[in-house]
Amino acid sequence: LTFPLLSVTLLVSFGSSMLYGYNLAVVNSPAVHIKAFYNTTWARRYGHGLAPGPLTLFYSLTVSIFALGGLVGSLLVGLLVERYGRNGTLSYSTLLILLAGGFMGFSRELGSPEMVIIGRSITGLHSGRCCLGCRAVHGPFLMARSPAHSQGTGEDFIFPMATGSRIFICLGVFFAQVLGLPELLGEDRFWPLFLSVVVVPASLQLLLLHCFPESPRYLLIERNDVCGATKALRQFLGTPDVQDVIKEMKEEQRSLSSMEMVSVWQLLRDRSVRWQTLSVAVVNAGMQLSGIDAIWFYTTIIFENTGIPVSQIPYTTVGTGAIEVVMGLIGCFTIEKLGRRPLIITGFCTMGICSAGITVSLLLQTALPWMRYVVVACVVGIIAGFCMGPAGIPFLMTAELFTQSHRPAAYIVGGSLNWLCNFTVGFIFPFLQMSAGAFCYLVFCSICLLVALYIYLVIPETKNKTFMEISHIFA
């Protein structure tokens, strides 16, 4: 990659994928302070505090509403990129983050828990547009340099997006855990500021993004602006000779104009890709129902229930975040060497075994106090298993199982299930933990092992295979 192309890629990842990771983990460490704020505000309004059940309901909604916003944002991203381009879409999305930061930052001063919930939903809307919608936002300026032979699969840009975005998500989670330390923003008086820190990277992105030209692919294919696309390509690629790339993009423009895109309903009814569609649904839903969202959203509560001293929990959480970053880097460099199928099966199996390990450890911790550290090891194992395969491979598989005409609809199906399952885990986990106790982790164990079994029996290895080869294997 040339320096301008690398710079704009990192800038977009910094302001989208990393913000997504940050917002996943930012509600973890200040959970006690947010609940206390809700309880105090309710008592001031109605003369009595909230019972444990309604308080848990309010906090679960605060955590999970982020995913509902993400679902709406991901469904809108294609339309927005087509209408406003990459720079315009990211600019509007960044303004949403500034609005969300204002809501959350002033919520305590105005005594309004509703502002926290609204702010969380708006950050989800931003993440849905910019992060899981990265096929439409990141792709254009990476596809601008795609060689002709790979335009059909798009693997040259899908692979770096799937793996690179995952690293920035891990970094976002890690930064949220570090800022949540008591020495930084982990105190009660700082939690509104902690939630609204998202405005800093968003503002930097908004200021710097317009130093770069619009996506060449968007300019040529969507706007038919050959001069603008040529000028942008020269800046991105660092060479005056871009006619070969312009020629390839024009060929793509002609092929897309003659191609009929399949709708979601048509995809679901198409018998020829029924197993591929089911596989995308299973893998994307399994990724979120594996228990990783419970780890991200509720690490502090999980560690509290294991008996780890409260003073040690923030540092233990930071340690798990550091391991997640390391495992994310390892996953990036091994996925192309080992293949998709072995990594994702091993990842889900590791997560399932570690989830069962948490249940066993919690049941034995009364007799064996050192079992609390086994729980920490199992949490680390879940994170490592997730980064090993389930983190980025579903995105790759969705691209590799379908042709270009079916791919947008497949991404809508996979992305929608992704966000819906994210919301389900974020909302239900506290109640599941209250009702099932240590056995709640067996739910995640069962899901992980069933998904691994499905992949083993149904999904073939997709590395270095054409769509026709993959389709023949499914048939």
Side-chain angles (χ1 to χ4, degrees):
L1 293 177
T2 61
F3 179 75
L5 195 57
L6 179 61
S7 299
V8 74
T9 304
L10 292 176
L11 177 64
V12 175
S13 296
F14 176 75
S16 56
S17 297
M18 198 170 77
L19 273 184
Y20 169 66
Y22 184 89
N23 285 309
L24 283 174
V26 71
V27 290
N28 191 5
S29 59
V32 175
H33 309 314
I34 294 174
K35 289 180 180 178
F37 166 64
Y38 286 1
N39 202 30
T40 302
T41 304
W42 193 271
R44 189 182 302 120
R45 288 180 181 179
Y46 303 106
H48 59 85
L50 283 164
L55 181 60
T56 302
L57 177 65
F58 269 111
Y59 181 71
S60 298
L61 182 62
T62 303
V63 171
S64 58
I65 196 73
F66 170 77
L68 288 186
L71 173 62
V72 176
S74 64
L75 293 175
L76 294 175
V77 66
L79 177 64
L80 292 172
V81 172
E82 182 180 347
R83 178 171 298 181
Y84 300 112
R86 180 206 66 209
N87 286 0
T89 300
L90 291 175
S91 297
Y92 286 125
S93 299
T94 302
L95 292 176
L96 285 177
I97 278 290
L98 300 180
L99 178 63
F103 271 108
M104 295 184 291
F106 291 102
S107 58
R108 186 169 62 180
E109 296 297 324
L110 299 177
S112 175
E114 296 85 357
M115 291 178 67
V116 180
I117 297 174
I118 293 172
R120 284 283 294 170
S121 65
I122 295 175
T123 58
L125 189 65
H126 169 271
S127 292
R129 286 184 178 185
C130 292
C131 183
L132 295 188
C134 66
R135 64 188 182 276
V137 180
H138 289 59
F141 47 86
L142 289 176
M143 276 194 74
R145 62 187 302 273
S146 299
H149 70 272
S150 63
Q151 288 289 351
T153 63
E155 189 169 337
D156 57 320
F157 77 90
I158 291 171
F159 173 69
M161 280 194 297
T163 55
S165 295
R166 173 50 52 185
I167 293 175
F168 276 94
I169 292 172
C170 294
L171 285 173
V173 171
F174 179 65
F175 286 151
Q177 293 165 342
V178 171
L179 289 178
L181 292 173
E183 294 83 357
L184 297 175
L185 299 180
E187 296 184 7
D188 178 45
R189 56 180 176 152
F190 290 135
W191 70 260
L193 177 62
F194 185 29
L195 296 183
S196 59
V197 163
V198 292
V199 304
V200 176
S203 299
L204 288 174
Q205 185 188 61
L206 186 62
L207 290 173
L208 297 176
L209 185 64
H210 293 282
C211 297
F212 299 94
E214 183 55 84
S215 160
R217 185 173 180 272
Y218 167 78
L219 291 172
L220 194 147
I221 294 178
E222 301 294 341
R223 297 301 184 197
N224 205 28
D225 183 1
V226 178
C227 293
T230 302
K231 182 179 179 181
L233 277 171
R234 286 172 177 168
Q235 182 171 343
F236 277 134
L237 303 182
T239 175
D241 184 15
V242 295
Q243 292 307 309
D244 289 342
V245 183
I246 291 291
K247 181 180 178 182
E248 292 169 8
M249 293 169 64
K250 286 182 177 179
E251 291 176 357
E252 183 189 1
Q253 184 186 37
R254 286 191 292 270
S255 65
L256 289 176
S257 62
S258 61
M259 184 185 299
E260 183 180 354
M261 291 298 177
V262 173
S263 67
V264 173
W265 179 243
Q266 289 173 323
L267 176 70
L268 296 176
R269 296 183 61 188
D270 190 343
R271 291 178 177 271
S272 65
V273 292
R274 177 166 297 177
W275 280 104
Q276 288 94 317
T277 305
L278 180 60
S279 298
V280 166
V282 169
V283 172
N284 279 275
M287 177 174 64
Q288 297 299 334
L289 297 177
S290 62
I292 190 63
D293 287 321
I295 300 297
W296 279 334
F297 289 144
Y298 301 108
T299 309
T300 299
I301 296 175
I302 292 171
F303 287 160
E304 282 178 358
N305 292 336
T306 65
I308 296 176
V310 176
S311 60
Q312 297 180 13
I313 290 177
Y315 307 98
T316 307
T317 303
V318 169
T320 63
I323 292 172
E324 182 174 1
V325 174
V326 173
M327 293 305 300
L329 289 170
I330 293 174
C332 286
F333 294 110
T334 57
I335 185 173
E336 282 300 286
K337 294 181 179 179
L338 300 179
R340 285 78 160 124
R341 196 166 176 268
L343 282 178
I344 195 169
I345 292 175
T346 304
F348 274 117
C349 288
T350 301
M351 297 178 76
I353 293 170
C354 290
S355 295
I358 293 178
T359 297
V360 174
S361 301
L362 290 175
L363 293 175
L364 296 177
Q365 70 174 351
T366 303
L368 303 171
W370 54 268
M371 277 291 177
R372 69 186 62 170
Y373 301 107
V374 177
V375 173
V376 177
C378 289
V379 169
V380 171
I382 291 173
I383 292 172
F386 181 74
C387 293
M388 189 182 303
I393 291 178
F395 185 85
L396 280 171
M397 279 190 169
T398 304
E400 293 171 337
L401 295 182
F402 295 93
T403 59
Q404 182 64 37
S405 61
H406 289 68
R407 195 173 292 147
Y411 272 121
I412 292 175
V413 172
S416 299
L417 285 172
N418 207 304
W419 283 113
L420 285 172
C421 294
N422 187 312
F423 170 79
T424 301
V425 173
F427 188 77
I428 290 179
F429 179 73
F431 300 99
L432 183 63
Q433 198 174 39
M434 290 168 59
S435 59
F439 296 100
C440 69
Y441 299 97
L442 293 181
V443 175
F444 301 129
C445 172
S446 302
I447 292 172
C448 288
L449 296 180
L450 287 173
V451 172
L453 180 62
Y454 177 89
I455 295 170
Y456 177 78
L457 295 175
V458 176
I459 301 180
E461 176 58 65
T462 57
K463 178 186 174 184
N464 296 329
K465 287 186 173 65
T466 66
F467 171 77
M468 293 306 298
E469 291 172 337
I470 295 171
S471 180
H472 179 71
I473 295 172
F474 269 109

